[in-house]
Amino acid sequence: MRFLGIDVGGTFTDAVLLAGGELRTAKVPTAPRQEESVVAAARAVGATDVDRFTHGTTVATNALLERKGARTAFVATAGFEHLLQLRRQTRAHLYRLCAEYPEPLVPLERCHGVRERTGPDGVLEQLDLGSLPELDAEAVAVCLLHSYRHPEHERAVVAELRRRLPDAHVVASHECAPEFREYERASTT
C-alpha cells in the first residue's frame, strides 16, 4: 500500500509518502495555485501510483490568524450586534474583567443589526428588511437568533444582501452551522 499526505501552507507545502514500509518526506515552496504545490510536493517524494491520498491546507487558517482575509461584515438580530465581542460566559477567567482576549473575528464597526425576532417556537417579530443598513464588505456573515430552527428570516436577509452586494460572499449561519448557541454559530459563519 502507498499512502500520500500533502499539506499546503502559506509558505511551504509538505508531503509524506509511506510506501512499502519506507517513509519519505519533502518540503517545497507553496505556489500561487494550490494544485501546483500539490503536484510539486508529490513529485518531490516520488509519489507516482498511490492507493490513498490525503490533502490538507492551513491557508485559510493562516489568513484568519493574520487578519488578511476579506473585509467582512456581520449581520445579527437587532440588539445582538455585539455577539462576537461578548463571546461566551465560559472563559478561563470569569471574574477577571481586565483579562485580554483575541480581537473578535469582525470589528464592532462592521457588526450590524436587522429588526426581526425568532424564538425557538417561531416568529416573535416580523422581519423588517428596511432596517438592514447599507454595507461595504467583501464578505457578510448572517446569524439571526434561532435560525438553526427557523431559517426563513435569515434566508430573506441573505437574499437581500446577495441582491445588494452581488460580488460579495454572503454566508448564512443556518447553512454552515445549523446548531444551538448563537456565538458558536456566528463565529463559525
Side-chain angles (χ1 to χ4, degrees), residues 72-76 80-81 83-84 106 110-113 139-143 186:
T72 304
F74 175 68
V75 176
F80 291 82
E81 299 90 341
L83 184 62
L84 295 173
V106 179
R110 290 201 307 258
C111 295
H112 309 279
V140 183
V142 180
C143 183

Side-chain angles (χ1 to χ4, degrees), residues 5-19:
I6 296 180
D7 176 55
V8 179
T11 306
F12 292 103
T13 296
D14 300 301
V16 176
L17 176 68
L18 178 61

Side-chain angles (χ1 to χ4, degrees), residues 90-160:
T90 53
R91 46 191 186 263
H93 305 287
L94 182 59
Y95 299 106
R96 188 178 298 165
L97 299 177
C98 58
E100 291 192 32
Y101 297 97
E103 286 294 314
L105 298 169
V106 179
L108 187 56
E109 63 270 11
R110 290 201 307 258
C111 295
H112 309 279
V114 61
R115 283 196 300 271
E116 69 85 41
R117 190 64 180 263
T118 303
D121 297 323
V123 175
L124 301 171
E125 179 184 337
Q126 290 300 322
L127 171 63
D128 177 7
L129 282 177
S131 68
L132 186 62
E134 291 300 319
L135 303 177
D136 177 27
E138 298 166 321
V140 183
V142 180
C143 183
L144 304 181
L145 291 180
H146 301 286
S147 61
Y148 62 91
R149 191 161 182 187
H150 301 285
E152 299 79 17
H153 287 181
E154 202 168 84
R155 284 187 186 125
V157 170
V158 166
E160 176 63 14

Side-chain angles (χ1 to χ4, degrees), residues 60-83:
T61 303
N62 291 344
L64 181 70
L65 293 173
E66 296 168 4
R67 307 293 176 158
K68 292 183 178 177
R71 189 177 65 260
T72 304
F74 175 68
V75 176
T77 299
F80 291 82
E81 299 90 341
H82 294 79
L83 184 62

